[in-house]
């Protein structure tokens, strides 16, 4: 098939853009990463004198580096839409984040969508494959205190012991809040067949969009970081916990990443930007850690259930392009609509009181309805974006209703404002 002139131009532009972006990323890394390392070398005396301040500064620098990586995707038009519970509400508490794993771009996606979640990014610990240790970002993760886990049955028991030691040594001494792990233990495309064979052998559900998770690292994290209870108060005996006076791990955040058409973004695409602009969808669900079973068998079943739910979420997303809102979000939507109707009644009452003319009220209502009908559908088909009703703006954000002030100018310069 002959290549048209337009296709040749488009291909040439894509190659030139990828080349320029790659050159920029190289320059970016050559400046930013050595700067991070050198700053921390110079601050070693502070680490001895005031360890807390040192790790605070390190966290700020770490967040900037992650923002740099996130900006590469943003510059290529790769954005994120978030669904489900409001994780920012628990950003100051300790939490374990469980994420499905499809490609290297999953990490970049999380770097992007967690940037606005308070202090999370600078106080989080990552569990990642040991191969990442040998990438350009490996030295940064080593200094920050992330854990590199070696996959494979031969290393599994030893790695869990090392993980426990690592958490006891670094997690609270460096004031970490969130710990992120991918329980599937590898990319979907690499583990799917093995997982399906295991499921068939053990009479477990057949999963296409996720794999059955491994419970080892999750169990170690819960045992190490959850504060034991004695008569309703945290018990003693853990020197690290005594030192930090931590409440312990309080939440488990079940996070599901979904890519359009089930085509994940890898790190090469994130850097070179040769793929068309893409919206990645991320769904959060928060569980109190007290609701997570501690016994190995019960924990395994609980974790399996979470990934079966992920399978349902992803199946629905690939069929409809939408995540399934949680029952709590629907309840929130109903509450918001009730408040809007009450606000609308107040507006009509004010208009009637100040104008005394029913025809003006009718015209105003018609204008609002017409304005709302022209709003693009993409802005109001799910919870978490902005919906419009005339000049009334509602923002239902990830399971919580954000405070929004509405104002309406009426005859004679009279204005009204209300809070949802």
């Amino acid at each position: 098939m002959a290549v048209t002139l337009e296709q040749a131009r488009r291909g040439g532009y894509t190659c030139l853009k990828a080349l320029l972006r790659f050159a920029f990323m190289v320059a970016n890394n050559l400046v930013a990463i050595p700067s991070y390392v050198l700053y921390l070398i110079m601050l070693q005396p502070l680490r001895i004198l005031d360890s807390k301040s040192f790790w605070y500064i390190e966290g700020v620098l770490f967040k900037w580096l992650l923002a740099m990586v996130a900006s590469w995707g943003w510059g290529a038009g790769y954005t994120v839409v978030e669904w489900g519970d409001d994780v920012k509400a628990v950003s100051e508490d300790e939490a374990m984040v469980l994420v499905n794993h499809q490609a290297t771009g999953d990490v970049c996606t999380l770097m992007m969508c967690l940037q606005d979640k308070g202090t999370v990014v600078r106080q989080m610990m990552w569990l990642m494959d040991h191969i990442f240790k040998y990438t350009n970002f490996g030295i940064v993760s080593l200094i920050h205190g992330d854990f590199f886990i070696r996959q494979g049955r031969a290393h599994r028991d030893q790695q869990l012991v090392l993980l426990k030691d690592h958490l006891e040594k670094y997690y609270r001494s460096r004031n970490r809040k969130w710990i992120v792990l991918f329980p599937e233990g590898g990319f979907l495309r690499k583990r799917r067949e093995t997982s399906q064979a295991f499921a068939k052998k053990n009479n477990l559900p057949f999963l296409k969009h996720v794999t059955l998770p491994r419970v080892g690292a999750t169990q170690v994290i819960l045992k190490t970081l959850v504060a034991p209870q004695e008569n309703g108060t945290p018990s003693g005996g853990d020197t690290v916990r005594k030192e930090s006076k931590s409440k312990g791990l309080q939440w488990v955040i079940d996070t599901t990443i979904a890519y359009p058409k089930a085509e994940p973004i890898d790190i090469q695409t994130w850097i070179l930007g040769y793929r068309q602009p893409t919206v990645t969808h991320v769904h959060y669900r928060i569980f109190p850690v007290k609701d997570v079973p501690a016994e190995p068998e019960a924990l395994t079943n609980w974790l399996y259930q979470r990934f079966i739910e992920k399978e349902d979420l992803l199946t629905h997303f690939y069929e409809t392009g939408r995540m399934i809102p949680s029952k709590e979000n629907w309840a929130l939507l109903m509450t918001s609509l009730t408040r809007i109707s009450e606000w609308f009644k107040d507006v009509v009452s004010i208009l009637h009181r100040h104008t005394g003319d029913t025809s003006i009220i009718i015209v105003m209502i018609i204008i609002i309805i017409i304005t709302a009908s022209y709003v693009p559908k993409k802005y109001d088909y799910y919870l978490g974006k902005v919906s419009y009703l005339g000049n009334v703006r509602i923002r239902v954000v990830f399971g919580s209703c954000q405070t929004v002030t509405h104002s309406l100018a009426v005859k004679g310069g009279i204005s009204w404002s209300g809070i949802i």
Side-chain angles (χ1 to χ4, degrees), residues 20-279:
L20 291 174
R21 283 178 61 88
F22 181 74
F24 173 75
M25 305 311 164
V26 171
N28 214 186
N29 277 278
L30 289 175
V31 172
I33 293 176
S35 298
Y36 168 88
V37 175
L38 290 173
Y39 272 123
L40 294 182
I41 289 174
M42 291 189 296
L43 288 171
Q44 286 304 305
L46 177 63
R47 183 178 180 180
I48 298 171
L49 297 172
D50 187 351
S51 177
K52 186 176 180 180
S53 296
F54 173 85
W55 290 114
Y56 175 85
I57 295 170
E58 184 278 334
V60 172
L61 297 177
F62 185 77
K63 182 176 181 178
W64 290 350
L65 286 179
L66 267 59
M68 176 188 78
V69 175
S71 72
W72 299 346
W74 179 84
Y78 307 146
T79 54
V80 174
V81 165
E82 296 172 295
W83 300 70
D85 295 331
D86 180 12
V87 295
K88 192 171 183 178
V90 298
S91 61
E92 296 302 317
D93 299 331
E94 290 187 21
M96 175 173 62
V97 184
L98 307 175
V99 192
N100 62 312
H101 208 11
Q102 301 181 60
T104 47
D106 296 342
V107 175
C108 303
T109 298
L110 289 174
M111 289 179 180
M112 177 182 284
C113 60
L114 295 179
Q115 279 293 322
D116 67 338
K117 306 299 186 293
T119 61
V120 163
V121 175
R122 65 179 176 83
Q123 292 182 291
M124 69 195 314
M125 178 182 286
W126 297 76
L127 264 66
M128 58 187 78
D129 193 282
H130 79 288
I131 196 67
F132 282 98
K133 187 188 297 185
Y134 308 106
T135 65
N136 60 318
F137 219 72
I139 183 65
V140 174
S141 293
L142 278 170
I143 294 173
H144 184 69
D146 297 329
F147 183 77
F148 298 95
I149 193 163
R150 187 180 291 273
Q151 304 294 341
R153 187 174 299 176
H155 307 285
R156 194 169 299 163
D157 292 339
Q158 181 194 22
Q159 291 299 300
L160 295 178
V161 172
L162 292 174
L163 173 60
K164 183 178 186 297
D165 292 342
H166 185 88
L167 293 172
E168 291 175 343
K169 186 175 182 180
Y170 298 117
Y171 190 80
R172 294 204 171 94
S173 66
R174 298 186 181 184
N175 196 28
R176 299 294 173 246
K177 294 291 186 183
W178 285 19
I179 182 165
V180 181
L181 72 154
F182 302 92
E184 292 165 293
F187 298 139
L188 174 63
R189 68 178 188 276
K190 293 183 177 181
R191 291 210 61 244
R192 181 158 36 200
E193 289 185 10
T194 305
S195 175
Q196 289 173 348
F198 178 83
K200 184 177 180 180
K201 182 179 178 181
N202 292 275
N203 197 29
L204 294 167
F206 184 86
L207 307 177
K208 292 173 57 181
H209 306 303
V210 294
T211 65
L212 290 169
R214 293 169 176 168
V215 74
T218 305
Q219 188 175 11
V220 168
I221 291 168
L222 290 172
K223 281 187 174 181
T224 308
L225 300 183
V226 174
Q229 299 289 315
E230 287 185 4
N231 299 323
T233 58
S235 68
D238 187 329
T239 55
V240 177
R241 192 172 290 118
K242 280 182 177 179
E243 184 180 301
S244 63
K245 298 180 181 179
S246 170
K247 295 179 181 178
L249 198 71
Q250 298 177 63
W251 309 100
V252 175
I253 303 174
D254 182 26
T255 305
T256 305
I257 299 176
Y259 298 95
K261 299 179 182 179
E263 297 175 354
I265 298 175
D266 55 28
I267 190 65
Q268 302 95 299
T269 307
W270 195 268
I271 291 174
L272 300 177
Y274 51 76
R275 180 169 165 177
Q276 290 298 311
T278 301
V279 178

Side-chain angles (χ1 to χ4, degrees), residues 205-361:
F206 184 86
L207 307 177
K208 292 173 57 181
H209 306 303
V210 294
T211 65
L212 290 169
R214 293 169 176 168
V215 74
T218 305
Q219 188 175 11
V220 168
I221 291 168
L222 290 172
K223 281 187 174 181
T224 308
L225 300 183
V226 174
Q229 299 289 315
E230 287 185 4
N231 299 323
T233 58
S235 68
D238 187 329
T239 55
V240 177
R241 192 172 290 118
K242 280 182 177 179
E243 184 180 301
S244 63
K245 298 180 181 179
S246 170
K247 295 179 181 178
L249 198 71
Q250 298 177 63
W251 309 100
V252 175
I253 303 174
D254 182 26
T255 305
T256 305
I257 299 176
Y259 298 95
K261 299 179 182 179
E263 297 175 354
I265 298 175
D266 55 28
I267 190 65
Q268 302 95 299
T269 307
W270 195 268
I271 291 174
L272 300 177
Y274 51 76
R275 180 169 165 177
Q276 290 298 311
T278 301
V279 178
T280 302
H281 294 249
V282 180
H283 183 277
Y284 306 107
R285 191 176 175 196
I286 302 174
F287 296 89
V289 77
K290 64 182 177 60
D291 295 342
V292 180
E295 294 301 316
E297 184 176 350
L299 177 60
T300 300
N301 292 333
W302 184 89
L303 203 55
Y304 282 178
Q305 186 58 41
R306 300 290 74 77
F307 275 77
I308 292 169
E309 290 170 0
K310 287 179 186 289
E311 176 77 10
D312 293 338
L313 269 175
L314 292 169
T315 299
H316 183 83
F317 175 78
Y318 296 141
E319 290 174 354
T320 66
R322 306 178 187 180
M323 289 287 198
I324 304 172
S326 66
K327 292 179 180 178
E328 291 81 3
N329 280 2
W330 282 116
L332 173 66
L333 181 59
M334 292 302 102
T335 302
S336 299
L337 291 175
T338 301
R339 289 172 177 172
I340 293 165
S341 66
E342 292 172 355
W343 172 85
F344 200 77
K345 289 178 186 176
D346 291 341
V347 171
V348 171
S349 175
I350 291 170
L351 286 170
H352 191 273
R353 190 163 59 248
H354 287 280
T355 65
D357 191 342
T358 306
S359 62
I360 292 179
I361 298 173

